[in-house]
Amino acid sequence: MKKMKKIGALLAAGILSLGVGAFAACGDDNNNDDNGAAKDAYTITVKDANGNAIEGIRIGVCTYDKTTQQKGMCLAPEATDANGKVVFDKNDNVTEGVYALNTDLFSAQYETQETYVFEAYGEYTVILIEK
């Protein structure tokens, strides 16, 4: 009987340790950098000329040829959150490459003073000026 209790205790301890390890693995996200931003994504923060985040504006990106300075295929736009951020990642079928901001989406209300080109995964800030 003592052997059965010991085996039962060892079995329970083993199951518990597996469960704890599984939960730890769920919380361990190696896809984020030290600031919590996705490593394999383009995180774009949209601000106005005063540095305030713009919420709810639809932002999109298009593939971009730096040599010809021509935009190619554009991805589906997404709305910025309360912090003015939008993330384009593998869930949006975005692979690392060269993309340009799709200014057609907001050209009636805002303009930019430069062409925004995103050449690698990372965090970018876009400044929009109200017309």
Side-chain angles (χ1 to χ4, degrees):
M1 188 73 162
K2 280 186 173 183
K3 284 184 181 181
M4 290 299 282
K5 283 185 179 179
K6 285 183 181 180
I7 291 173
L10 285 172
L11 207 57
I15 291 170
L16 259 173
S17 67
L18 284 175
V20 170
F23 284 117
C26 289
D28 184 21
D29 191 351
N30 291 329
N31 255 356
N32 293 342
D33 66 13
D34 293 339
N35 299 322
K39 289 181 187 176
D40 57 353
Y42 294 88
T43 303
I44 301 170
T45 302
V46 181
K47 296 183 177 187
D48 64 17
N50 296 320
N52 300 312
I54 302 175
E55 179 181 4
I57 189 163
R58 295 187 61 74
I59 295 296
V61 294
C62 304
T63 57
Y64 186 72
D65 185 324
K66 288 174 46 178
T67 305
T68 63
Q69 298 184 343
Q70 297 293 312
K71 291 179 186 173
M73 182 188 79
C74 295
L75 302 171
E78 296 194 22
T80 55
D81 65 13
N83 298 316
K85 288 191 179 192
V86 65
V87 176
F88 295 98
D89 60 16
K90 61 185 174 186
N91 294 328
D92 304 303
N93 295 319
V94 176
T95 58
E96 191 166 27
V98 180
Y99 296 88
L101 184 66
N102 185 359
T103 55
D104 297 339
L105 298 170
F106 51 77
S107 61
Q109 186 179 3
Y110 294 99
E111 61 187 1
T112 62
Q113 290 185 333
E114 63 182 275
T115 300
Y116 287 96
V117 177
F118 316 111
E119 296 188 35
Y121 289 142
E123 293 191 45
Y124 298 90
T125 300
V126 168
I127 305 297
L128 300 183
I129 301 161
E130 207 163 350
K131 287 185 174 181

